[in-house]
Amino acid sequence: MEERVPPQNIEAEQSVLGAMLVDREAISKVSEILRAEDFYREAHKIIYTLMLELYNKNEAVDYITLTDILTLNKKLEDVGGLAYITSLSKAVPTSANVKYHADIVREKSQLRQMVKAGTEIA
């Protein structure tokens, strides 16, 4: 039997996280739209949560501070290591579309919730 993949858009998730690394303003825009639970990949949930933690403490949110807090929380390898964090920060040259990408992530999350609810009802 073929296993179905729940609605998700990994590229949009990566774009959101990358934009948050390159532009502090992107964090405030995204935090109004998304919760950690909206991300499909567990690694992205962890990264997003720790980025918001840094942001809410009014600390810098960048490659160095993110890898440091991931290391302190013993989560760096869980999220893909230094290479993955580097790929996020280099994948997005601009944060101009961050709100649009965050909306995609939120929409996919809502679809997953509807699928889950439908499955429970059935």
Side-chain angles (χ1 to χ4, degrees):
M1 189 166 130
E2 190 176 318
E3 189 174 324
R4 293 186 178 193
V5 177
Q8 40 82 20
N9 188 319
I10 300 301
E11 293 82 11
E13 291 185 13
Q14 292 169 327
S15 178
V16 166
L17 297 173
M20 291 171 68
L21 280 172
V22 300
D23 182 2
R24 187 168 179 85
E25 259 186 54
I27 300 169
S28 64
K29 291 176 186 176
V30 170
S31 66
E32 294 174 2
I33 300 169
L34 297 176
R35 300 165 300 136
E37 301 81 39
D38 292 327
F39 288 89
Y40 177 72
R41 288 193 63 207
E42 188 63 32
H44 294 166
K45 293 176 187 179
I46 293 167
I47 292 167
Y48 182 75
T49 299
L50 293 175
M51 289 173 85
L52 286 182
E53 186 178 311
L54 288 169
Y55 179 78
N56 290 331
K57 290 180 182 177
N58 208 25
E59 295 181 17
V61 180
D62 57 27
Y63 170 81
I64 294 170
T65 59
L66 180 58
T67 55
D68 185 54
I69 195 168
L70 284 164
T71 301
L72 288 172
N73 284 281
K74 296 180 177 24
K75 297 287 185 186
L76 184 59
E77 294 310 313
D78 295 344
V79 301
L82 292 172
Y84 191 69
I85 301 302
T86 301
S87 73
L88 289 176
S89 62
K90 292 185 178 184
V92 182
T94 177
S95 65
N97 297 321
V98 71
K99 187 178 178 321
Y100 178 75
H101 296 153
D103 287 338
I104 292 171
V105 173
R106 181 74 181 136
E107 176 187 327
K108 299 299 181 184
S109 173
Q110 290 170 336
L111 288 172
R112 286 193 305 276
Q113 291 169 19
M114 288 192 298
V115 168
K116 182 180 176 187
T119 302
E120 289 174 359
I121 290 170

